Amino acid sequence: MGAVSLKIGDGTARFRRATMWTSAVNGLMLFSVLTTNLFALYAFTYNPNKSNENHQNPLHQSQKNMSLISEQVSLIMKEIESSQKKLTQMEKELLGYETIDVSKPNTPNELKLFLQRHSLPLGKDSKTGITQMVASVGHTCSKSMDMLSQFMNYKVNGQCPDDVSVAQKLISKGCEPLPRRRCFAKTIPKVGNLYPFPASLWKTVSDKIVSWSGLGCKNFTCLNGKKLGRDCVGCFDLSNGNENQRFVKGKGKNDFVIDDVLGMGVEGIRIGLDIAGGSGTFAARMAEKNVTVITQTLNIESPSNDFIAARGLFPLFMSLDHRFPFYDNVFDLVHAGSALDVGGKPEKLEFLMFDIDRVLRAGGLFWLDNFYCATDDKKRDLTRLIEKFGYKKLKWVVGEKTMSGKSELYLSAVLEKPVRA
């Protein structure tokens, strides 16, 4: 029983093909009614052999009949309960959400409404056999029902709660995509604080035009004093530090320069994807080369999406557990650093690598930028995984860096995706 996706406006509606479930439900209900009536008829018309009836005590006979009736009623109740369970399960399967139980007492009506199936207004589609629309929501949302209920508990047509941190926690737990809501997100006045493109790429972003909801820091002065990750150290400081030198001036042999990488691209580089792009500096440098780059990021300890958008760039708010919402073979370049490791799970890295390969066109470049190899085994495992894809190694550098007085191993590479039959 398959599902079909149809792009409508800015969202995706999922449809379930026409099946025999409706007939099955009706058949089961009919069976339950018939069975119940037959049991009842048998219980209340049952009469022992009349030849024995004359020789037995009337009181004993009456007790025996009552016992039989009680037994039959018990069987009827069990049959009804079993039928109800089967009907409930079938209803969930019809909805397409076998794991999300919306019958719990505290489930908001908005969540029930969003998950409710809707018949197509013109009936069955003659080409696809589709009969119903089913809302799209992450299946692991069922494991975070309390938090999901909190997210969906709001005033309809009112202002959305200040719950950005709740949304991000749900996404990080695999509840992705999140259900849509019918409330207005908080607006932040930005008039007078936005700069025209391309001057916006390197202008200092004002504290006032980003959302600090759910974050420890409430300004960029605080944020710039923190190390947010191996790929983002002082990366929100555009006027001081090293951010304005990244990708144009290398500090070591592992730091590749954009002009060199662009020169390796077959048929040119026009559009790209930056994975876990921090503050969007890679996209900014690419924009200067007339290359459009989408930056995938979450707001982990920083207002990354607001910051990237303020620079006139394209942020994509999603986790790396989510399948990239792009068609196959569309990007000329994919750039990624240590965030590619996705929690140190080898199977998750493999799934991610296959999705990167899917959206990268043949002849496109995969730029692995300063991937931290905690051990030699980690480097060997990653090397074996890359070799599985048959990429051509245009540049491959393994080097050491001294971080906090400790020597660490890093891998940088530019790889070309092959043409496969």
Side-chain angles (χ1 to χ4, degrees), residues 63-303:
Q63 290 175 343
K64 186 176 180 180
N65 286 341
M66 289 301 295
S67 177
L68 286 170
I69 291 172
S70 177
E71 182 181 344
Q72 297 306 319
V73 170
S74 178
L75 288 172
I76 291 170
M77 295 305 296
K78 287 181 180 179
E79 184 67 28
I80 292 174
E81 184 180 357
S82 176
S83 298
Q84 286 177 337
K85 287 181 179 179
K86 289 178 181 179
L87 286 170
T88 300
Q89 180 61 28
M90 284 185 173
E91 184 179 11
K92 288 181 179 180
E93 290 175 356
L94 281 169
L95 284 170
Y97 300 102
E98 295 86 348
T99 57
I100 297 182
D101 185 5
V102 295
S103 64
K104 292 183 177 180
N106 297 326
T107 303
N109 288 330
E110 281 294 284
L111 182 58
K112 294 178 182 178
L113 183 62
F114 179 78
L115 295 178
Q116 183 179 357
R117 65 184 185 275
H118 299 280
S119 298
L120 294 181
L122 300 179
K124 180 179 178 180
D125 183 81
S126 59
K127 294 183 179 179
T128 62
I130 293 169
T131 59
Q132 295 174 331
M133 296 176 62
V134 181
S136 178
V137 66
H139 75 281
T140 53
C141 291
S142 61
K143 297 179 180 179
S144 305
M145 281 301 294
D146 290 343
M147 199 180 299
L148 183 63
S149 295
Q150 179 185 346
F151 179 73
M152 292 299 288
N153 189 11
Y154 57 88
K155 182 180 178 182
V156 178
N157 297 327
Q159 185 168 316
C160 295
D162 186 8
D163 57 2
V164 176
S165 59
V166 174
Q168 185 154 285
K169 285 178 182 177
L170 283 167
I171 290 174
S172 65
K173 290 178 178 291
C175 183
E176 188 178 30
L178 287 170
R180 286 177 171 168
R181 302 198 291 187
R182 297 187 297 168
C183 59
F184 296 101
K186 181 181 178 181
T187 56
I188 301 174
K190 299 187 178 184
V191 178
N193 289 293
L194 292 177
Y195 299 96
F197 190 86
S200 60
L201 294 175
W202 299 104
K203 289 289 187 179
T204 300
V205 176
S206 170
D207 296 335
K208 298 178 181 179
I209 65 172
V210 303
S211 172
W212 298 97
S213 176
L215 302 176
C217 285
K218 302 301 178 184
N219 55 65
F220 286 112
T221 301
C222 167
L223 195 64
N224 290 331
K226 289 190 172 185
K227 179 181 179 180
L228 302 177
R230 294 182 182 277
D231 298 333
C232 186
V233 180
C235 64
F236 290 89
D237 187 354
L238 302 182
S239 57
N240 303 306
N242 300 317
E243 198 64 12
N244 54 15
Q245 299 297 315
R246 292 184 67 194
F247 308 113
V248 293
K249 185 180 295 185
K251 296 174 64 176
K253 62 179 183 179
N254 282 75
D255 300 327
F256 299 164
V257 176
I258 278 181
D259 286 338
D260 293 342
V261 175
L262 291 179
M264 301 178 193
V266 178
E267 297 178 357
I269 304 297
R270 304 153 303 161
I271 56 174
L273 172 65
D274 187 18
I275 296 174
S279 61
T281 292
F282 178 79
R285 285 300 182 196
M286 282 296 188
E288 293 175 333
K289 305 295 181 181
N290 294 320
V291 177
T292 301
V293 170
I294 295 173
T295 306
Q296 174 275 325
T297 185
L298 289 174
N299 282 13
I300 299 178
E301 298 186 59
S302 63

Side-chain angles (χ1 to χ4, degrees), residues 316-336:
L316 181 64
F317 184 66
M318 60 170 283
S319 76
L320 290 180
D321 290 323
H322 194 293
R323 186 178 191 263
F324 292 126
F326 306 114
Y327 195 64
D328 301 354
N329 307 298
V330 293
F331 288 109
D332 304 313
L333 171 73
V334 176
H335 174 263

Side-chain angles (χ1 to χ4, degrees), residues 31-49:
F31 173 76
S32 299
V33 171
L34 289 174
T35 304
T36 301
N37 288 334
L38 286 173
F39 272 128
L41 181 64
Y42 174 76
F44 291 104
T45 60
Y46 174 80
N47 191 13
N49 191 294

Side-chain angles (χ1 to χ4, degrees), residues 264-417:
M264 301 178 193
V266 178
E267 297 178 357
I269 304 297
R270 304 153 303 161
I271 56 174
L273 172 65
D274 187 18
I275 296 174
S279 61
T281 292
F282 178 79
R285 285 300 182 196
M286 282 296 188
E288 293 175 333
K289 305 295 181 181
N290 294 320
V291 177
T292 301
V293 170
I294 295 173
T295 306
Q296 174 275 325
T297 185
L298 289 174
N299 282 13
I300 299 178
E301 298 186 59
S302 63
S304 299
N305 284 267
D306 284 324
F307 191 89
I308 292 169
R311 299 179 76 176
L313 303 169
F314 193 139
L316 181 64
F317 184 66
M318 60 170 283
S319 76
L320 290 180
D321 290 323
H322 194 293
R323 186 178 191 263
F324 292 126
F326 306 114
Y327 195 64
D328 301 354
N329 307 298
V330 293
F331 288 109
D332 304 313
L333 171 73
V334 176
H335 174 263
S338 293
L340 193 72
D341 198 20
V342 283
K345 303 289 186 181
E347 64 276 5
K348 294 187 72 172
L349 173 58
E350 189 167 356
F351 273 108
L352 178 56
M353 280 294 298
F354 269 97
D355 208 29
I356 290 173
D357 180 82
R358 178 184 65 81
V359 299
L360 184 63
R361 69 166 173 83
L365 303 183
F366 174 47
W367 180 351
L368 187 61
D369 188 6
N370 283 281
F371 182 89
Y372 172 58
C373 303
T375 63
D376 285 334
D377 289 339
K378 188 75 175 178
K379 179 176 71 71
R380 282 193 295 268
D381 291 342
L382 178 61
T383 302
R384 291 193 193 101
L385 178 59
I386 290 174
E387 289 175 347
K388 180 186 294 186
F389 291 88
Y391 284 22
K392 181 180 180 181
K393 296 178 181 178
L394 303 180
K395 197 167 185 178
W396 184 277
V397 176
V398 178
E400 293 184 352
K401 291 185 178 182
T402 301
M403 305 292 289
S404 302
K406 181 182 177 182
S407 181
E408 297 179 340
L409 196 65
Y410 288 84
L411 168 63
S412 292
V414 178
L415 311 166
E416 183 182 273
K417 179 179 175 178

